[in-house]
Amino acid sequence: MQRRPWLAVDGLVVRSDGTVVLVRRGKPPFEGLWALPGGFVEYGERVEEAVVREVREETGLATEVAALIGVYSDPSRDPRWHVVSVAFLLKEVGGALHADTDAAAVAAFPLDRIPYPLAFDHDKILEDGLRVLSRLGGPRKLYG
């Protein structure tokens, strides 16, 4: 049997007020820690579709992709398997914030109250995503 990496997506949802949406993990690994919403890409699904679906399933929010943040492929980023994640900056376009699927809780945090450390390598993804957001002109420009 040939071993291969798993493909996942992570979404950085920055709301119009500048807060960041995080989910508290309800399952291992990193159970109890806060994380960006995300999950695995399903067969036949584009990564852009997967991140919008995963964010809706975990947070109740409808979103659209605003920008690519990056690809995170360190083989040790997930203790279960070699997981490659494509991370996106997302704009909220509807829905209502509520925890669902495997999220134990969901909340929007001001940037000065992020509950570090985040699960996986999400500290790094958040940092990179905020740089992308800054280049786009910040939340006001994103929701302009």
Side-chain angles (χ1 to χ4, degrees):
M1 181 172 142
Q2 188 175 13
R3 295 181 348 171
R4 295 191 174 133
W6 292 68
L7 182 59
V9 289
D10 290 302
L12 171 57
V13 181
V14 178
R15 303 183 95 183
S16 60
D17 64 2
T19 58
V20 172
V21 175
L22 298 175
V23 295
R24 186 185 297 269
R25 290 192 51 83
K27 299 184 207 175
F30 304 108
E31 184 174 1
L33 287 184
W34 291 91
L36 297 171
F40 292 102
V41 178
E42 295 177 358
Y43 185 80
E45 188 175 42
R46 296 173 60 225
V47 291
E48 297 87 352
E49 296 165 339
V51 73
V52 167
R53 175 184 53 77
E54 283 288 348
V55 168
R56 185 184 64 250
E57 288 175 0
E58 293 187 359
T59 71
L61 297 178
T63 59
E64 63 185 35
V65 172
L68 173 69
I69 296 170
V71 177
Y72 298 82
S73 61
D74 184 331
S76 65
R77 67 180 297 276
D78 188 315
R80 299 169 293 185
W81 314 289
H82 179 183
V83 177
V84 175
S85 184
V86 183
F88 293 94
L89 175 65
L90 300 171
K91 176 182 174 181
E92 179 182 356
V93 294
L97 195 62
H98 70 275
D100 209 348
T101 65
D102 62 348
V106 64
F109 291 91
L111 291 176
D112 62 350
R113 292 199 184 104
I114 300 293
Y116 292 111
L118 301 178
F120 304 101
D121 54 357
H122 292 184
D123 293 353
K124 172 77 170 129
I125 295 173
L126 176 59
E127 176 185 320
D128 293 348
L130 293 175
R131 274 199 296 276
V132 170
L133 179 64
S134 178
R135 284 197 299 270
L136 293 175
R140 285 188 197 161
K141 197 74 157 174
L142 186 64
Y143 286 92

